[in-house]
Amino acid sequence: MAEYVISHLLEYSTLKENEFVLYDLEEIKYKSNIYKGVKSKSFLDDDWQIVTLERLFKMIYNESLYQSIYKISDYRSRLEFLVTQIEKITGLTEFGKYINKLFTIDAFFLNEDRHMHNIAVLMNGVGQYDYCPIFDNGAGLLSDTAMDYPINGEIISLINEVKAKSICDSFEEQLEISELLYGDNLKYYFTKKDVEDIVDSILIYDQDTKDRVKEIIFQQMRKYQYLIENR
């Protein structure tokens, strides 16, 4: 559910349509089982492919980007190293702003799976690069109810347990550093009513699960009020 809800709430943001992937829900039948999932339209033109930052850095330097970042003790220096290296390799000139948008989404929606294998650029056959639409937010909104975030857990306590994985384990620090270095590049303008309409329109999840998702988002709306703009 998280992937669907987050992508549809991003429609109520300052992101352009081509800056993020919009997902729809689907049920997948395999043998006698039915699984809940999501699908999206392909955003890759001919001859373009997704290249993760970890793979890209490895191709150029034969070293792990993750390990290179975490050899640096200062968080700000880690982010500056990440942005400088990717801009040097790709020629993209505003990668810091792109990272700020990612960190804004991750902090707000508690996406704990944004590591170097889950941030990417686009590359074509002649070695040209472009920004990759923001994708794969499915680990957000405390979605791992089977293991880490039980469905009957106390919301605020569970939120405080979620850790980031990009340049440090704090969503707040990642976001603050990216804002200081590269500015505020993403705002939301959805309301509580918009959240309720999107979540309540989902038919393949029970009401308790949907109410939990709404409460998580409402809590984040209170925490990050400065990211919410009036329409």
Side-chain angles (χ1 to χ4, degrees):
M1 184 196 295
E3 194 83 83
Y4 173 86
V5 171
I6 294 170
S7 73
H8 282 265
L9 286 176
L10 290 180
E11 291 189 289
Y12 297 83
S13 78
T14 53
L15 290 177
K16 297 177 182 177
E17 184 177 344
N18 64 347
E19 289 188 275
F20 66 98
V21 178
L22 187 65
Y23 291 90
D24 287 319
L25 293 166
E26 70 172 351
E27 291 186 314
I28 303 166
K29 186 174 182 180
Y30 179 71
K31 295 183 178 179
S32 60
N33 297 314
I34 296 177
Y35 301 94
K36 299 179 178 68
V38 292
K39 61 182 179 181
S40 71
K41 295 180 180 178
S42 174
F43 55 86
L44 291 175
D45 295 326
D46 292 342
D47 199 34
W48 287 85
Q49 61 176 307
I50 298 172
V51 182
T52 69
L53 300 195
E54 182 69 19
R55 178 184 164 205
L56 180 66
F57 195 81
K58 187 79 170 180
M59 287 191 312
I60 301 300
Y61 298 112
N62 198 31
E63 295 179 6
S64 166
L65 177 58
Y66 172 82
Q67 292 177 0
S68 297
I69 288 172
Y70 276 81
K71 288 178 183 176
I72 303 169
S73 59
D74 178 68
Y75 298 159
R76 175 173 176 150
S77 298
R78 288 179 182 179
L79 182 54
E80 290 175 321
F81 174 83
L82 169 62
V83 170
T84 299
Q85 291 299 316
I86 299 306
E87 289 187 342
K88 179 180 177 181
I89 294 170
T90 64
L92 300 172
T93 58
E94 295 188 329
F95 199 74
K97 292 183 178 180
Y98 178 82
I99 288 292
N100 170 254
K101 293 175 184 179
L102 282 179
F103 286 179
T104 304
I105 293 169
D106 293 343
F108 194 98
F109 294 107
L110 302 166
N111 179 16
E112 62 178 350
D113 198 34
R114 189 76 67 196
H115 45 74
M116 294 305 117
H117 288 285
N118 209 0
I119 307 174
V121 294
L122 301 181
M123 182 180 73
N124 67 10
V126 296
Q128 296 172 319
Y129 294 93
D130 203 351
Y131 293 99
C132 183
I134 295 168
F135 68 102
D136 199 354
N137 297 293
L141 300 177
L142 310 182
S143 58
D144 185 4
T145 57
M147 294 286 291
D148 293 329
Y149 314 112
I151 194 73
N152 59 349
E154 202 276 319
I155 294 295
I156 295 178
S157 296
L158 293 178
I159 286 174
N160 291 332
E161 293 178 13
V162 187
K163 303 297 183 184
K165 292 188 176 73
S166 298
I167 62 166
C168 66
D169 65 3
S170 169
F171 290 112
E172 291 82 2
E173 286 191 72
Q174 289 192 159
L175 180 55
E176 181 180 0
I177 292 168
S178 73
E179 289 172 343
L180 287 171
L181 289 174
Y182 309 112
D184 301 335
N185 298 281
L186 173 60
K187 298 292 186 182
Y188 306 109
Y189 52 84
F190 51 77
T191 64
K192 291 183 72 172
K193 174 85 165 44
D194 296 321
V195 174
E196 290 171 343
D197 287 346
I198 290 171
V199 176
D200 286 335
S201 69
I202 300 171
L203 301 180
I204 62 175
Y205 286 89
D206 62 82
Q207 193 60 47
D208 286 344
T209 301
K210 292 191 286 188
D211 288 343
R212 181 178 188 266
V213 167
K214 286 186 286 186
E215 181 52 41
I216 294 167
I217 297 171
F218 295 158
Q219 176 61 32
Q220 294 301 91
M221 290 175 73
R222 290 188 286 270
K223 181 175 182 178
Y224 291 106
Q225 291 182 36
Y226 78 98
L227 293 174
I228 307 289
E229 291 187 343
N230 294 326
R231 278 187 270 189

